[in-house]
Amino acid sequence: QVQLVESGGGLVQAGGSLRLSCAASVSRSTIKTMAWYRQAPGKQRELVASITSDGSTNYADSVKGRFTCSRDNSKNTVSLQMNSLKPEDTAVYFCYAIISPLEQPYTFQYWGQGTQVTVSS
């Protein structure tokens, strides 16, 4: 059974920083891409940042230069360092992972439960 558990959300003033973390509990599997998505009230869920197993990252244009996504493959964790936060960054942030059972050609997608980030102006 795979679980993704996020932590680190909260309330911060505009211009401040927060760091989100996500720990994946897996066994006999390989974690491929990990990512952070967010969903604001009344809006669709959108990709914030993703990172492959070899460390290649991709960011939404709206967060480039402000957010940094990193992962620790030895601990099955992914983090999102968010700096210079803006009120428009307010959303529920979800951890996401693509996981492949060992020696199997298929993958599964998993989501965390989400963590609220609120940026006040």
Side-chain angles (χ1 to χ4, degrees), residues 70-88:
S70 59
R71 65 188 282 177
D72 184 335
N73 291 332
S74 67
K75 298 180 179 179
N76 293 334
T77 59
V78 62
S79 297
L80 185 69
Q81 178 65 41
M82 304 185 293
N83 298 329
S84 302
L85 283 161
K86 305 175 181 180
E88 51 263 45

Side-chain angles (χ1 to χ4, degrees), residues 37-52:
Y37 284 75
R38 67 186 181 187
Q39 188 166 20
K43 295 188 177 181
Q44 289 189 330
R45 190 172 297 190
E46 63 175 358
L47 175 68
V48 177
S50 64
I51 184 166
T52 62

Side-chain angles (χ1 to χ4, degrees), residues 1 5 8 11 15 17 23 25 36 47 74 78 83 85 90 108 111 118:
Q1 185 73 10
V5 179
L11 173 65
S17 298
S25 60
W36 290 95
L47 175 68
S74 67
V78 62
N83 298 329
L85 283 161
T90 295
F108 296 98
W111 293 90
T118 303

Side-chain angles (χ1 to χ4, degrees), residues 22-65:
C22 172
S25 60
V26 297
S27 62
R28 298 185 56 78
S29 299
T30 300
I31 302 177
K32 297 185 177 295
T33 297
M34 302 188 80
W36 290 95
Y37 284 75
R38 67 186 181 187
Q39 188 166 20
K43 295 188 177 181
Q44 289 189 330
R45 190 172 297 190
E46 63 175 358
L47 175 68
V48 177
S50 64
I51 184 166
T52 62
S53 57
D54 63 1
S56 297
T57 54
N58 181 52
Y59 295 94
D61 288 343
S62 59
V63 307
K64 283 180 180 176

Side-chain angles (χ1 to χ4, degrees), residues 8 20 51 68:
L20 305 182
I51 184 166
T68 302

